[in-house]
Amino acid sequence: MKQAIEYLIEKEPIFKFIIEKYGLPTIPKRPEGFETLVLLILEQQVSIDSAKAIFLKLKAKEQNFIPEILISLDDEEYRNLGVSRQKTTYIKALSHSIIKNNIDLKSLATKSSQQVRDELIKIKGIGNWTIDVYLMFSLQSPDIIPLGDIAVVNTIKELLEIHDKQEMEIYVAKWEPYRSAATFLLWHYYLNKRNRKVEY
């Protein structure tokens, strides 16, 4: 991380500004596998805290948290726990892919970021944001920047005054090969400015 921070500070003044103002970010780590992907599905387009609350209810109901169990729950059971119909479909699609051996989650750690993306994107409900966060948090991929994440996009708009998505993609290329560290710094700024604490 130290090498990444030094590199980014040299390339981009806003990172020096963020660190001087708020210190260094904590680098989140989540376990690899099914549970984390279910949690990430629940986190899509909602706050981390509300998604975590639903996830914990689901885990309390089904302590044997495996695809075979989650696919067998009916939609009403999911709804009673606060899971939307759409996200229920996504959790079942993920469960189905694992049960049918369409994907081997354990093997993802041995593959490139692009190979991981190519496999996960085939599963209904798993898009680039979910894959980006899984790559960063679970597989510790060093060069990911999720430009589908509202906090990242809004921070780039605020600090760099870049509002066009294509321009952002071109600009952030200069942060390679440490774009994951850059993302953690952008999130760090976004949360601290709003006095928000997040437990990943």
Side-chain angles (χ1 to χ4, degrees), residues 1-2 22 25 27 30 48 54 64 67 74 85 143 181-182:
M1 183 66 178
K2 184 173 182 287
Y22 296 120
I27 306 305
R30 286 181 177 176
I48 286 174
I54 294 169
N64 192 14
D74 64 40
R85 189 190 311 177
D143 194 34

Side-chain angles (χ1 to χ4, degrees), residues 21-117:
K21 193 168 178 64
Y22 296 120
L24 290 168
T26 302
I27 306 305
K29 172 83 174 124
R30 286 181 177 176
E32 296 171 34
F34 179 65
E35 285 195 22
T36 293
L37 282 167
V38 170
L39 177 55
L40 287 172
I41 287 169
L42 294 172
E43 284 179 359
Q44 292 170 5
Q45 298 179 316
V46 301
S47 76
I48 286 174
D49 291 339
S50 63
K52 194 173 185 181
I54 294 169
F55 177 74
L56 292 174
K57 283 183 197 171
L58 187 55
K59 279 208 75 173
K61 178 175 173 54
E62 296 298 341
Q63 292 176 351
N64 192 14
F65 205 90
I66 58 173
E68 290 79 3
I69 296 290
L70 265 62
I71 204 170
S72 69
L73 294 178
D74 64 40
D75 290 3
E76 188 176 349
E77 288 177 283
Y78 276 105
R79 190 165 57 249
N80 291 339
L81 294 168
V83 184
S84 70
R85 189 190 311 177
Q86 190 175 44
K87 288 183 181 178
T88 297
T89 303
Y90 297 165
I91 291 167
K92 289 189 174 185
L94 171 62
S95 301
H96 182 267
S97 292
I98 294 166
I99 292 165
K100 294 294 181 185
N101 293 317
N102 294 335
I103 191 164
D104 175 12
L105 296 183
K106 286 181 182 172
S107 74
L108 297 182
T110 66
K111 296 179 177 174
S112 71
S113 296
Q114 190 57 52
Q115 288 171 320
V116 171
R117 192 177 304 280

Side-chain angles (χ1 to χ4, degrees), residues 10-26:
E10 190 180 315
K11 288 277 182 183
E12 182 59 68
I14 66 159
F15 294 126
K16 187 169 189 281
F17 164 73
I18 291 169
I19 292 164
E20 285 175 351
K21 193 168 178 64
Y22 296 120
L24 290 168
T26 302

